[in-house]
Amino acid sequence: MTGSARPGPVGDHPGHPPARALRPAGTGRRARPLIGITGYVEPASWAVWRDVPASLVPQAYVRSVTAAGGRAVVLPPDDLDADVVDVLDGLLLAGGADVGPERYGQPVDPRTEPRPDRDAGESALLAAAFAADLPVLGVCRGMQLLAVAYGGTLHQHLPDVVGHDRHRPAPGVYGAHPVRFAPGSRTATVLAGVERVNSYHHQGVADPGGLTVTGWADDGVVEAVEDPARRFLLGVQWHPENDDDPRPVTALVRAARPG
């Protein structure tokens, strides 16, 4: 099962260079590769403050990047420009709320909860990352955003398709299920020996667009996608940052090491 032969990603910035365009070399040296993690804006509470709009990501993302030898930088939603990509060595598209269905030509299902600010900011970051051939990892929502950027579409409510809710059993409860990977793919190499993953999502990839599907759950849900023409572009539907062995994050950091 593979994506179509479409030549590459599409999105808000159709004039970006092709996949093999090279990123200008940085002038400084860093001991650790700098990994941008896309953040949320959500009400948060701490100390005496309650329900204050805050830019945040779960610490598990930061911890997994640090453990892999990277330096994490949280990127709040911002669509004014994507110049920050010039100083990054890799980009991690974090999970979270749904991708807006207008981006893949569908009306909004009542159960879809989009975040237009994230869609706009992350699409701009992706366009710049594609132009720079920056290593990119998409996690959960991040994988879905990659599929949309490559011209694909999503299932807006997965239980309607698969007939169960094992991918998101209850609010705040992760599911777990078997997974298999396409032999010979980058995904299979990165995740050799992994047979079961966690999950927390109610949407999924319907059409991967120009991406290649390289992982599936036991019910056929798409669990991994990649673009083998790029230096490193991988999407996973589960949450490796919460695993004891977050191999996709480790692979991103390794791919992002300068030189």
Side-chain angles (χ1 to χ4, degrees), residues 164 166-167 169 174-181 187 190-200 215-219 223 236-248:
H164 61 78
R166 287 190 287 117
H167 294 275
Y174 283 90
H177 56 78
V179 67
R180 61 184 176 89
F181 305 113
T187 307
V190 168
L191 293 157
V194 173
E195 298 179 347
R196 197 169 182 85
V197 296
N198 62 38
S199 67
Y200 189 79
W216 302 265
D218 56 335
D219 57 7
E223 290 291 325
V236 297
Q237 185 58 74
W238 67 94
H239 283 270
E241 76 280 2
N242 288 323
D243 288 341
D244 293 333
D245 181 16
R247 296 189 200 182

Side-chain angles (χ1 to χ4, degrees), residues 124-231:
L125 287 173
L126 261 182
F130 290 150
D133 199 22
L134 202 71
V136 176
L137 171 66
V139 169
C140 197
R141 167 199 156 88
M143 185 187 91
Q144 296 167 11
L145 189 67
L146 285 175
V148 171
Y150 272 77
T153 61
L154 306 179
H155 297 300
Q156 288 194 56
H157 193 61
L158 205 52
D160 290 349
V161 178
V162 296
H164 61 78
D165 59 3
R166 287 190 287 117
H167 294 275
R168 190 177 70 174
V173 177
Y174 283 90
H177 56 78
V179 67
R180 61 184 176 89
F181 305 113
S185 64
R186 180 192 295 272
T187 307
T189 299
V190 168
L191 293 157
V194 173
E195 298 179 347
R196 197 169 182 85
V197 296
N198 62 38
S199 67
Y200 189 79
H201 61 102
H202 82 111
Q203 298 198 325
V205 170
D207 173 4
L211 290 171
T212 300
V213 176
T214 52
W216 302 265
D218 56 335
D219 57 7
V221 168
V222 173
E223 290 291 325
V225 295
E226 63 182 69
D227 183 347
R230 290 185 176 273
R231 182 156 61 109

Side-chain angles (χ1 to χ4, degrees), residues 78-84 121 124-125:
D78 181 347
D79 65 347
L80 295 182
D81 62 61
D83 291 353
V84 67
L125 287 173

